[in-house]
Amino acid sequence: MKKLAIVTTHPIQYYAPWFKLLADRNNVEVKVFYTWSQASDEVIDKTFGKTIKWDIPLLDGYAFEFLENISKDPGTHHKNGIDCPELNNKIENWKPDAILVFGWYLKSHLEVMKYFNGKIPVWFRGDSTLLDDTPGLRQVLRKYYLTYIYGFIDKAFYVGTENKKYFKSVGVKDSQLILAPHAIDNDRFNDSEEKDYEKLALKWRAELGFKPEDLVILFAGKFESKKQPDFLLKTVQKANKYLKQPLKLLLVGHGPLEKELLSLSEADFNIKFIPFQNQSKMPILYRLGNVFCLPSKGPGETWGLAVNEAMASSRPVIVSNKVGCASDVVKIGKNGYVFNYYDEPALIKIFNTLSISNLKTMGEVAQKDIEKWNFTAIVEALEDAF
């Protein structure tokens, strides 16, 4: 049986389930080398401004090892935040047939790519795009550097259309590119009689003060500049000046813009807030809204997996053109909408077309459309690569 070593920083809900699926299928022997030892139990998120400990199992069903990270400032926010002197030896001793690396910019991850280049096939997974590129000398120099970096890999597993464009722009050949689509645990977000998510969401909505006839727009994520929750809030307020029945906005999360958002919405009864929610609550949370909105301006909204989660929860989406998944999963007018990230009138125009009945129909389409973006597709791509 072929052996695959996976190098990534810490357990997260978007990767651990397909690590387990890969191990369960028993076609490939897998071992995950986690390089951020300080995050083995909980993660200090600098943007959220809080410590996060997920309430779903992320280390079950697959082999893993946490490598000692000796960085004095551990984390993924800078290249020297991951420094694991034992990593290459540990991988070499395990004798894998290929190595899959997440994130080249981290010190030890790049060392793996360089050290094993030409010895063992080096595979790479990332989700960078060209959506935030601006022409100029810096862009040219970055392209040359990235072409050098990706010269150390044998295959790149791209997550979608925009990511594929990025890889091709920095010299990765078509023969090296394999689709392994960005996905979430669709089954965990799908409803059933046993889960009763819709009923639980209706109860929660009522507790928040929403009426059945209220059209609720949901934002869930970090309250940070790149995601533009402030832009969304102001746009909803402008739209409500002209609408007979005002839109409701529910903002879920924490972050640097929290005080500003609270100030902007003071005495506005159409705007409500609830704090960050852990993973077990998310399938209910997405159902609090009639539509999910991610109005990001970037940089760095390379995909937007919250969009997958909302669609799997049978909710349509409104996303900006800076959200990486827009060109792959959003079918305008059928399961969602796309607008230019700075275009307030365009977003208001979308708001003016919304109705609860139409959004319900679009949500059903969204759920069906996102089914093909699943963990099995990722695992099959890795197995086939051998």
Side-chain angles (χ1 to χ4, degrees):
M1 186 187 300
K2 297 290 187 181
K3 298 171 71 174
L4 177 65
I6 298 176
V7 177
T8 189
T9 53
H10 62 293
I12 65 170
Q13 73 274 23
Y14 299 124
Y15 297 151
W18 64 257
F19 296 165
K20 181 180 184 299
L21 178 61
L22 188 58
D24 286 346
R25 287 164 64 96
N26 208 33
N27 295 320
V28 174
E29 185 179 353
V30 61
K31 183 173 181 179
V32 181
F33 294 85
Y34 285 119
T35 56
W36 187 4
S37 55
Q38 294 86 351
S40 60
D41 189 49
E42 58 188 24
V43 178
I44 299 173
D45 191 298
K46 292 183 180 293
T47 311
F48 253 129
K50 65 180 291 168
T51 298
I52 298 172
K53 184 173 183 177
W54 300 124
D55 63 356
I56 57 173
L58 298 178
L59 293 172
D60 292 353
Y62 62 93
F64 65 89
E65 181 176 354
F66 281 92
L67 280 299
E68 183 184 4
N69 178 25
I70 65 171
S71 173
K72 292 180 180 178
D73 183 17
T76 58
H77 54 290
H78 67 116
K79 67 178 183 178
N80 292 317
I82 300 297
D83 187 358
C84 304
E86 296 181 320
L87 180 57
N88 287 347
N89 284 338
K90 290 276 189 176
I91 294 172
E92 202 162 38
N93 290 340
W94 193 63
K95 295 181 171 56
D97 296 286
I99 304 166
L100 176 64
V101 179
F102 288 72
W104 62 263
Y105 71 98
L106 299 164
K107 178 182 177 181
S108 289
H109 293 211
L110 184 55
E111 287 175 354
V112 167
M113 291 164 60
K114 290 180 176 180
Y115 180 79
F116 288 102
N117 175 239
K119 300 177 183 177
I120 300 172
V122 176
W123 300 350
F124 186 82
R125 182 171 170 84
D127 59 7
S128 297
T129 73
L130 301 173
L131 293 174
D132 301 314
D133 265 21
T134 52
L137 179 60
R138 186 175 179 179
Q139 181 197 46
V140 173
L141 293 174
R142 179 172 168 78
K143 182 177 178 180
Y144 276 113
Y145 181 64
L146 289 173
T147 302
Y148 160 75
I149 291 294
Y150 290 116
F152 294 113
I153 70 169
D154 297 281
K155 295 183 188 298
F157 292 84
Y158 68 94
V159 303
T161 301
E162 301 301 332
N163 184 215
K164 185 178 184 181
K165 290 178 185 175
Y166 161 83
F167 279 128
K168 291 186 73 171
S169 76
V170 292
V172 182
K173 300 173 184 176
D174 280 316
S175 59
Q176 295 175 283
L177 287 164
I178 300 171
L179 175 62
H182 246 330
I184 53 103
D185 188 349
N186 291 326
D187 290 339
R188 187 161 69 83
F189 287 85
N190 293 165
D191 205 357
S192 67
E193 288 185 15
E194 294 77 23
K195 297 173 183 174
D196 220 1
Y197 290 149
E198 292 288 351
K199 187 175 180 181
L200 290 168
L202 284 172
K203 182 181 177 184
W204 197 353
R205 272 178 63 118
E207 290 170 354
L208 289 167
F210 293 126
K211 298 174 183 176
E213 64 270 22
D214 285 338
L215 198 162
V216 180
I217 298 167
L218 174 71
F219 172 94
K222 296 178 182 179
F223 296 164
E224 59 182 336
S225 177
K226 81 171 184 180
K227 291 184 183 292
Q228 292 204 117
D230 50 340
F231 171 85
L232 174 60
L233 190 155
K234 292 173 186 176
T235 306
V236 168
Q237 289 177 325
K238 280 197 176 181
N240 281 345
K241 291 178 181 178
Y242 309 103
L243 293 171
K244 290 182 179 178
Q245 182 171 336
L247 298 168
K248 308 295 182 178
L249 175 63
L250 178 59
L251 295 148
V252 184
H254 290 292
L257 295 179
E258 190 165 354
K259 287 184 180 179
E260 181 184 342
L261 294 170
L262 289 168
S263 176
L264 286 168
S265 61
E266 194 173 359
D268 188 336
F269 300 108
N270 296 312
I271 314 293
K272 295 183 185 293
F273 293 82
I274 57 177
F276 165 84
Q277 301 292 305
N278 217 314
Q279 284 301 304
S280 63
K281 287 284 186 71
M282 294 306 290
I284 308 168
L285 184 137
Y286 282 110
R287 290 171 166 84
L288 296 177
N290 301 92
V291 62
F292 175 76
C293 186
L294 185 58
S296 300
K297 66 178 179 181
E301 196 67 80
T302 52
W303 183 264
L305 282 163
V307 172
N308 294 56
E309 293 176 339
M311 292 176 73
S313 302
S314 70
R315 292 301 184 267
V317 297
I318 302 171
V319 302
S320 79
N321 61 333
K322 289 287 188 175
V323 176
C325 70
S327 56
D328 287 294
V329 304
V330 182
K331 297 176 182 175
I332 296 173
K334 295 180 179 179
N335 65 18
Y337 302 92
V338 181
F339 70 97
N340 287 326
Y341 72 96
Y342 57 82
D343 195 341
E344 188 180 77
L347 184 53
I348 290 175
K349 188 175 180 180
I350 291 170
F351 289 160
N352 287 335
T353 68
L354 303 181
S355 71
I356 290 175
S357 59
N358 191 39
L359 289 173
K360 188 176 187 303
T361 301
M362 292 175 70
E364 292 167 357
V365 174
Q367 185 178 12
K368 290 178 182 176
D369 287 343
I370 208 65
E371 285 176 357
K372 68 180 180 180
W373 298 82
N374 57 58
F375 290 149
T376 300
I378 300 172
V379 169
E380 288 179 346
L382 291 167
E383 291 173 346
D384 290 347
F386 278 113

